[in-house]
Amino acid sequence: MVTDGRIPLAYDFLRPVKLAREHLRTLNVVSETFAHRLAVLLTYNLRVVCRVTPYAVQHSSIEEHVAWISEPTVIAPLSLEPLPGTALLEISRNTAMVCVDHLLGGRGGDDQPQRPLSEIETPLFRDLITEILAELRDSFAGIEDIYPSFGALEYDPQLVQFGGGPTDSMLVASFELAVGEVTSVLSLCLPLQGLMPALQRYHDQAAVSASERAARQAAHELLSDRLQEVPIEVNVRFDSVKMQSTQLLGLHPGDVVPLGHPVDRPLEITADGQIFGHAVATKRGKRLACQIVNIVQEEHRA
C-alpha cells in the first residue's frame, strides 16, 4: 500500500517494462531525426510544404497496435536487416492518395477516392516508400547499420504476417504528418526483441569514461608507433618467365636465361606480394641497389 501520497501506477504483468530510460531517449532522438529528414524528403518530392511532428515512442504489443489502426490505411511490412522480426510503416490511405495526387501533378486536395491504390498509382507510392526507408536507415546511423526493404503493400492490418505472436512487444513511434493542408497520423512499428541488442551495444560503447577513452587512444598511438618499426621483407623483381620442364632440368652453369623484361622498364618493388612501387637498378659503393622512380597509390595496388 502506498502511504506517502504518491499516485499508484498500474502494472501489466503480461507486458513488463523492458525499455530503459536511456534507450527511450535514444529512440526519441531517432524519431526526431527521422521526422526532420522525412519532412524535407516529402516537401522536395511532392512540391508542397510538408510537416512531420513526432508524438512519442510507446511500448505496445502487435495485437494492441493492430487494434489501434482504425481508419483505411496502407501498411508496408518492413525487413530491417540484420535486425530480426517484422516492422511496419503505416500511413492513412487518404494521405497516400494525396501523395500520389501530388506526384501526378494534382493539387492534392482532401477529396480523394476511397479505394486502394491502382496499378498505376502503386509503383509511384512504392518508389516514395523506398526513399522514405533510405531516410530511416540514415536516422539509425551510429546505432545500427540497417538495410530496410519491403514487399507487398497491405490495406488490412489483420492480413499482415508477423514472425512472432500477437502479444510480442513492439515499439510504436507515432508522427503527425501534414501534406499541405491534409493531416494524418503516420506510425512506425519496430520489434522490441530485435532492437534491444542494438540499443544495448550502442549504450555500452557510449558508456566508456573519459579516462578509458584516453587509455585506449594512448594504446592505439603506442601500437601505431611500434608498427612503424616492424621489419618487412621487400623484393625488387624482374618479370617472371615461363620455361618447359625439360629446359629447366637441362640448365647448366654458364647458361643464359632470357627474362623477357625490357631493359627500359623499371623493376617492381613488392612486399607481401603487393606492388607498391617501381625502381631501376643501380649501385651504391660496392653494393647493388635500386633507385625509386614511382610509388603506386594504395587504391591501384594489386
Side-chain angles (χ1 to χ4, degrees):
M1 178 181 298
V2 177
T3 59
D4 58 0
R6 291 176 297 160
I7 300 175
L9 300 176
Y11 186 85
D12 187 353
F13 287 92
L14 295 177
R15 194 184 65 198
V17 176
K18 299 180 180 179
L19 199 61
R21 184 176 299 176
E22 59 270 17
H23 293 169
L24 185 59
R25 283 198 298 265
T26 300
L27 290 173
N28 282 328
V29 171
V30 171
S31 66
E32 290 173 3
T33 303
F34 177 62
H36 173 72
R37 300 182 69 95
L38 180 58
V40 174
L41 171 71
L42 293 178
T43 300
Y44 175 80
N45 281 274
L46 305 182
R47 297 178 297 277
V48 64
V49 176
C50 299
R51 300 181 304 278
V52 183
T53 306
Y55 280 141
V57 178
Q58 296 178 330
H59 188 198
S60 178
S61 67
I62 296 175
E63 187 176 40
E64 290 172 338
H65 182 62
V66 170
W68 174 79
I69 302 174
S70 57
E71 61 182 275
T73 185
V74 179
I75 299 175
L78 308 179
S79 171
L80 304 177
E81 294 294 340
L83 301 181
T86 302
L88 298 180
L89 181 65
E90 184 267 329
I91 185 173
S92 76
R93 190 188 304 176
N94 185 66
T95 302
M97 297 295 288
V98 169
C99 293
V100 171
D101 193 9
H102 280 294
L103 290 172
L104 292 173
R107 61 184 182 85
D110 202 13
D111 53 342
Q112 299 296 323
Q114 302 302 309
R115 57 168 175 79
L117 298 171
S118 68
E119 293 183 359
I120 296 177
E121 296 163 343
T122 298
L124 293 174
F125 190 69
R126 288 181 63 88
D127 289 343
L128 184 61
I129 292 293
T130 300
E131 294 193 46
I132 292 175
L133 295 188
E135 300 300 335
L136 178 62
R137 177 187 176 183
D138 291 341
S139 300
F140 270 92
I143 298 174
E144 183 75 9
D145 291 331
I146 61 173
Y147 299 90
S149 60
F150 69 105
L153 298 176
E154 295 286 354
Y155 299 95
D156 186 349
Q158 303 296 332
L159 298 180
V160 178
Q161 297 295 322
F162 290 92
T167 60
D168 283 1
S169 295
M170 306 291 284
L171 293 173
V172 181
S174 302
F175 306 85
E176 181 186 73
L177 172 61
V179 180
E181 300 300 322
V182 179
T183 303
S184 64
V185 175
L186 177 145
S187 68
L188 178 64
C189 187
L190 305 170
L192 179 60
Q193 181 114 26
L195 195 58
M196 281 297 293
L199 288 172
Q200 191 60 49
R201 287 193 299 269
Y202 172 74
H203 283 282
D204 287 345
Q205 295 172 356
V208 178
S209 65
S211 60
E212 290 174 323
R213 287 195 296 269
R216 291 181 181 181
Q217 181 63 27
H220 174 75
E221 293 175 355
L222 181 61
L223 180 60
S224 299
D225 292 341
R226 291 296 183 265
L227 286 175
Q228 301 297 324
E229 302 173 3
V230 174
I232 299 175
E233 183 176 331
V234 179
N235 300 303
V236 180
R237 68 186 185 187
F238 294 91
D239 286 349
S240 60
V241 60
K242 291 184 178 181
M243 299 179 64
Q244 296 179 356
S245 57
T246 55
Q247 293 175 309
L248 183 62
L249 295 173
L251 290 176
H252 297 89
D255 289 346
V256 176
V257 178
L259 297 179
H261 190 111
V263 295
D264 58 347
R265 182 191 297 172
L267 309 178
E268 293 178 344
I269 306 173
T270 66
D272 194 26
Q274 301 294 314
I275 301 172
F276 69 88
H278 297 87
V280 295
T282 182
K283 67 176 184 176
R284 185 172 184 178
K286 295 182 179 181
R287 293 180 177 273
L288 185 64
C290 65
Q291 182 177 8
I292 307 296
V293 294
N294 77 293
I295 297 297
V296 178
Q297 297 298 323
E298 185 173 354
E299 59 269 19
H300 297 145
R301 294 176 186 173

